[in-house]
Amino acid sequence: MKVEEVELRRIRLPLVTPFTTSFGTEADRDILLVKVTGPDAEGWGECVALAEPVYSSEYVDGAADVIRRHLLPRLFALSDPAARFVGPALADVKGHPMAKAALEMALLDAELRIAGMTFGAYLGAVRGRVPAGVSVGIMASVPQLLDAVDAYLEQGYLRVKLKIQPGWDVEPVQAVRERFGDGLALQVDANTAYTLADARHLARLDPFDMLLIEQPLAEDDLAGHATLAKQLRTPICLDESITSARAAAEALARGACAVVNIKAGRVGGYLEARRVHDVCAASGVPVWCGGMLETGLGRAANVALAALPNFSLPGDTSASDRYWRHDITVPFILNEGHLAVPTGPGLGVAPDPDALAESTTSSERLRWGTSG
Ligand code: NPG
């Protein structure tokens, strides 16, 4: 594939409601998009790094900087920058998986558009639609949380994930279970907010028969998760800890989790995400697709990934209107609790030029092969 230009474009999109997790509140998203343009196609990538390094060490200004200074020069040296060569070409740069993933995604989109193949077909999708879950942030009060969950269930979401932290865990979970009944598919996400000393407290969540508890302990604490797993009945799912297929294999071998959340940005791209899927499938461990408050671009790729066979739990792949008043692509719409996997070549969606122009805060174009 030939690429002539790379554009690094920053957009700002306000969320329909602020989203609070144990690490902070997001009121809007400052998103880095990567566009590659060649003679035969263009392709889009979305970098999921947040404005601040609070979910992981990456942050959006840092991602743009590492792309500009260190990643693009390595890709410029390739005679064929096909997506499958991106991971190996960037492997000597430590870390920065979200920045790497955005580049790989843009090149894969362009490549698949030329080949006339969908993201889903390329990754190995076996479904035309995927069940949608919704992630519900920490709220000011339990009644407010119950209203929010009620509204999402009314819209048809098939499972609910509650964000938890010390001081906001047993009480909201109990309230949601009591109000919406045993039939509700319910799970929680702690984003590393607890320590092993909280094991007895976390065991108080067991009676609520949840699908899983996600990432209770620090990301580098596989041993702690393995110990905690023996003390809880609720299955442990890992997110932040799973940074690669090898990390997934190690977590499973150590008994640190029984379920895995897959986010392409966290593992360095959709190709590594597929390898995480395959490692888990080989061990009979179910996976689901996480979310990072993506626009329709990242959502298109996530929905395609979530259509692989071992994605056996609903993901954080919600409809566009859960996040944005105006998405930059055609919106993803909930239909009987599912989102349709796009059917057009590549991502199957592209930004609407007006929506893009309206949300753009900066843009930088680099000619392929030059560093400025
Ligand atoms: O629906 O995209 C979504 C959000 C899902 O809860 C969600 N994401 O830790 O998984 C997470 C959390 C998150 C959101 C992480 C924003 C980082 C940023």
Side-chain angles (χ1 to χ4, degrees):
M1 192 181 59
K2 196 164 155 35
V3 182
E4 289 161 342
E5 187 184 272
V6 182
E7 182 186 359
L8 303 182
R9 187 186 276 259
R10 290 279 279 276
I11 63 170
R12 181 172 292 279
L13 279 183
L15 286 160
V16 289
T17 51
F19 185 63
T20 299
T21 65
S22 61
F23 57 76
T25 297
E26 307 295 314
D28 55 20
R29 285 286 271 126
D30 174 357
I31 299 172
L32 169 65
L33 301 179
V34 177
K35 179 187 180 188
V36 296
T37 306
D40 306 314
E42 53 185 51
W44 287 91
E46 176 168 347
C47 180
V48 298
L50 302 179
E52 291 197 72
V54 287
Y55 165 81
S56 69
S57 62
E58 283 184 281
Y59 62 103
V60 67
D61 284 329
D65 191 63
V66 78
I67 286 175
R68 209 182 282 123
R69 286 177 199 261
H70 302 288
L71 304 184
L72 281 175
R74 284 167 168 79
L75 294 186
F76 291 159
L78 294 175
S79 53
D80 175 10
R84 66 186 182 284
F85 301 134
V86 170
L90 303 182
D92 69 318
V93 174
K94 311 289 187 201
H96 302 284
M98 295 173 179
K100 293 173 179 175
L103 290 171
E104 185 201 76
M105 177 179 162
L107 288 164
L108 187 54
D109 183 28
E111 185 179 324
L112 294 179
R113 281 176 199 272
I114 293 168
M117 184 185 267
T118 66
F119 240 71
Y122 178 83
L123 292 173
V126 294
R127 290 182 272 270
R129 61 178 204 163
V130 300
V134 62
S135 174
V136 186
I138 292 165
M139 305 230 162
S141 70
V142 168
Q144 200 183 334
L145 174 72
L146 294 176
D147 285 349
V149 171
D150 193 36
Y152 287 130
L153 293 178
E154 198 61 38
Q155 291 167 40
Y157 284 103
L158 298 172
R159 79 79 172 115
V160 168
K161 157 169 145 178
L162 304 181
K163 291 289 190 177
I164 58 168
Q165 66 183 6
W168 180 265
D169 43 34
V170 178
E171 193 196 350
V173 168
Q174 176 167 12
V176 167
R177 186 51 98 207
E178 280 173 3
R179 164 83 180 271
F180 300 103
D182 293 341
L184 173 66
L186 183 63
Q187 64 192 56
V188 288
D189 182 4
N191 288 110
T192 77
Y194 295 86
T195 70
L196 206 44
D198 298 311
R200 285 179 57 183
H201 178 72
L202 292 173
R204 291 178 57 205
L205 293 168
D206 281 342
F208 305 113
D209 279 323
M210 291 190 293
L211 291 167
L212 56 91
I213 175 170
E214 187 180 350
Q215 198 71 44
L217 311 179
E219 66 179 66
D220 59 357
D221 194 5
L222 287 186
H225 282 104
T227 304
L228 184 62
K230 296 199 192 92
Q231 298 175 41
L232 300 186
R233 222 176 55 225
T234 310
I236 292 182
C237 170
L238 290 178
D239 170 8
E240 284 89 334
S241 297
I242 308 297
T243 52
S244 65
R246 192 167 60 201
E250 187 179 347
L252 300 187
R254 289 219 208 173
C257 65
V259 185
V260 168
N261 164 330
I262 300 186
K263 290 176 181 164
R266 197 192 62 225
V267 301
Y270 285 87
L271 302 190
E272 185 71 2
R274 180 171 59 184
R275 288 189 279 270
V276 176
H277 163 273
D278 294 349
V279 162
C280 294
S283 296
V285 167
V287 304
W288 54 279
C289 186
M292 294 287 286
L293 310 170
E294 288 93 344
T295 73
L297 293 171
R299 195 161 312 284
N302 285 347
V303 167
L305 179 70
L308 269 63
N310 192 39
F311 281 81
S312 43
L313 293 167
D316 284 344
T317 42
S318 307
S320 297
D321 67 1
R322 182 254 174 271
Y323 312 92
W324 322 115
R325 212 167 300 287
H326 303 290
D327 205 334
I328 58 168
T329 66
V330 285
F332 280 79
I333 292 166
L334 209 57
N335 191 350
E336 295 168 341
H338 289 70
L339 298 187
V341 180
T343 53
L347 291 172
V349 300
D352 168 66
D354 292 337
L356 196 60
E358 236 167 76
S359 55
T360 295
T361 52
S362 72
S363 158
E364 178 184 348
R365 289 156 186 254
L366 301 161
R367 267 218 2 248
W368 188 266
T370 61
S371 42

